Each structure stands twice: as C-alpha cells, then as structure tokens.
Amino acid sequence: MNHTRVATDYFRKARQMATARCDSSIPHRTFIAENTAIHLNFSPSRSGVKLDDVSTDFNLPDLHVALSSFLQHDARERGIVHGVGGPRQRPSIDRPPILPFDRVQLWNTVRLQLKSFHNPDIVLPAQTIHASPPGPGWPKGRRDAILVNVDTAYEWPKSGLSGHVICELCLIMRPIHRRGSRIAWRDQYLCYVRRLNIGPCDPATGMHVLKRAKHADGTPICSIIPLRQLRAFISIIPRLGDAADVRLTSATSTHYSQEFFLNKYFDKDFYYALHNATTPDS
C-alpha cells in the first residue's frame, strides 16, 4: 500500500484559525505574513523561563537591553516594521533595564512555508528553522539563517533580497505577564536575531558573500524583531579561506565561521527569486 505523506498546508490552516470562533490561542500559533505562512507548535519547548536563565542558556548577554529597546520602539510606533541594527546600547550591570515581564515561553523551532515562485497555487513543503541552545549533538546551539523583511515596500519572493536582511535566528519567545498584572505591551511572538551583511558575489561560485555584522568594538549587531517579519529559510555555507579552523565540525561550523556563501542553489524557487526579482518601481 502506498503511504505517501501529504504536506500540511499552513496557509489553509492559518485562514481556518483566523475565522474560528472557538480558538482561544491568541496570538495564533499559525498565521500568514505577506507570502509566508508561519507555524509554531501549540506547546512551547519551555514555558515560564526566567529571562536571566534565557540570557545565560542562549549566551545572549544583551537580551534585556535588546528587549527594552524593542518595547520602547514598538510602543511609539505600533505596527511598524522593525529594522535590524541601529545605535549600540550598552548593558548596565548596576542598573539593568526594567522590563514589564521577567519570564517567557520559548520555542526551539518554527516552520516557514512558501508557495511556488511561478505558480502561487502550489504550496511548497514547509521548512523547519532551528533556534535552540547548546545541547546534545549541538555544543554551541543550533541557529539557522533566515530572511527578514525590513521594508513593507518590498515583498518576498518577487522583490528578491531588496528590502530584506539575512540574519541568524538565535531565539524565539513570547513574553509572559506577571500574575495579577495586565499586559502592557503588544502580545506577540518575538525573535532575537544577529545580522549577516550581504556582500558582492564571489566570481568563482556566483554566490553572495555574507559576513557577520559587528559594532566598532567587535560585538555582533543584534535586534529583537517580531516573528511575523520572517520570510524564508536561508542556506549558508561557511567560507573557509586558505585554512580551515580546526574546531569546525558539522555542528559547530556556523558558530566559528565569520564569512559564508549564500547558497542560492539549494532550492529552485529561491534561485528563481534571486534571478527574477523586481522592485516596486519596475
């Protein structure tokens, strides 16, 4: 007997959830952002985790500062598209920022689903994106690269990379309000991301070179953004240079590498998006 597995259509599921009267999971775990369907498991990987523990477990020392900056920006301009980067805010050991919450829910994976570049009636298989802390088999954690929209004038995949940045996904979370208190922020799923700068194409491979974006002091450029700004999985290949780092393994190569190739050949629809891109003025 043929037991062919049928891929889940998260676009259909998101539309059903949006119209269901009995669905109490707000914000929805499955939703559509432009041309991407985004799906989280109903149950988080961990819940009620203290922010201090998250900062330690995921090695994100500026997590509190990044969250404070995001909340201030989001409160001033509700519904905006958040950028990745901006002026550096240094954490204060003596006076850390005061946040309206101290615990979060965490997800180690998120699924992104797109449609065929040439035929939007065809729903492609969803891709699982990882953002997990160090653990068995992954001593430095598992962090996949993703495409993030930073300009509403551009839509993936028709616009290609224009209006988008490439980032490393480090954390997926949802803040939990303190017991007996009211939510003083917009209830939504958030991500902590580290930016990769997109450079020119390498003439030998025809692939863009990516470099870790850093501040003047060498620390990575990071931001908190809403999960709804994610658009697609990005396949990256470490650029080894003349000599490979002896610490590199299949599980640590991304962690220790500073430069990468943007692998445009891993998926035909991704390849089409890069080579057939149009801009709003086209």
Side-chain angles (χ1 to χ4, degrees):
M1 183 179 294
N2 186 4
H3 294 282
T4 303
R5 184 177 179 180
V6 178
T8 301
D9 186 342
Y10 289 113
F11 288 94
R12 178 182 299 174
K13 185 175 181 179
R15 289 191 293 267
Q16 291 173 344
M17 293 181 67
T19 57
R21 296 183 180 180
C22 59
D23 184 14
S24 60
S25 60
I26 302 295
H28 294 305
R29 303 289 201 274
T30 305
F31 56 94
I32 298 173
E34 296 294 348
N35 300 312
T36 302
I38 301 176
H39 171 74
L40 290 171
N41 289 337
F42 183 82
S43 298
S45 303
R46 298 167 64 189
S47 188
V49 188
K50 291 183 178 180
L51 276 175
D52 290 342
D53 293 337
V54 176
S55 179
T56 300
D57 293 347
F58 285 79
N59 191 26
L60 306 175
D62 65 339
L63 177 61
H64 293 71
V65 173
L67 279 167
S68 177
S69 177
F70 170 84
L71 292 174
Q72 293 176 33
H73 195 193
D74 197 60
R76 288 195 303 267
E77 303 178 66
R78 289 292 180 101
I80 65 166
V81 173
H82 292 263
V84 179
R88 176 74 190 281
Q89 290 186 315
R90 295 182 179 278
S92 172
I93 298 177
D94 298 328
R95 292 191 299 174
I98 299 176
L99 298 172
F101 54 86
D102 53 19
R103 294 177 183 269
V104 296
Q105 295 175 321
L106 299 177
W107 282 263
N108 290 343
T109 61
V110 60
R111 307 203 79 192
L112 302 183
Q113 189 171 52
L114 299 168
K115 296 182 178 181
S116 169
F117 183 85
H118 293 296
N119 186 354
D121 292 330
I122 298 176
V123 176
L124 301 175
Q127 293 176 312
T128 301
I129 318 298
H130 296 84
S132 56
W138 297 91
K140 297 300 180 179
R142 190 172 184 181
R143 300 167 174 174
D144 286 330
I146 40 91
L147 189 71
V148 176
N149 178 263
V150 292
D151 189 337
T152 55
Y154 298 88
E155 290 187 12
W156 177 263
K158 299 299 183 183
S159 62
L161 297 177
S162 298
H164 298 77
V165 295
I166 294 175
C167 297
E168 187 179 53
L169 182 62
C170 303
L171 180 68
I172 305 167
M173 62 185 161
R174 179 192 178 193
I176 302 174
H177 64 88
R178 296 186 177 95
R179 184 171 299 180
S181 66
R182 299 179 60 185
I183 296 179
W185 63 92
R186 187 156 53 126
D187 191 8
Q188 59 183 321
Y189 304 106
L190 304 176
C191 303
Y192 181 106
V193 297
R194 288 177 175 164
R195 181 166 176 165
L196 301 173
N197 285 335
I198 304 174
C201 282
D202 175 73
T205 63
M207 296 185 288
H208 286 281
V209 175
L210 307 177
K211 295 183 179 181
R212 293 192 181 278
K214 298 181 179 181
H215 293 283
D217 62 359
T219 55
I221 293 179
C222 310
S223 288
I224 299 290
I225 62 169
L227 184 70
R228 56 181 165 80
Q229 288 184 218
L230 271 57
R231 292 295 179 266
F233 167 75
I234 295 293
S235 174
I236 58 176
I237 303 170
R239 190 184 189 196
L240 301 180
D242 295 331
D245 191 321
V246 296
R247 299 171 296 178
L248 298 184
T249 68
S250 60
T252 63
S253 59
T254 300
H255 174 80
Y256 288 117
S257 298
Q258 297 299 310
E259 296 186 11
F260 308 88
F261 290 117
L262 170 56
N263 183 12
K264 65 181 180 180
Y265 302 111
F266 87 101
D267 177 83
K268 66 178 182 180
D269 285 278
F270 185 83
Y271 181 90
Y272 293 148
L274 294 190
H275 285 269
N276 297 278
T278 59
T279 63
D281 298 328
S282 299

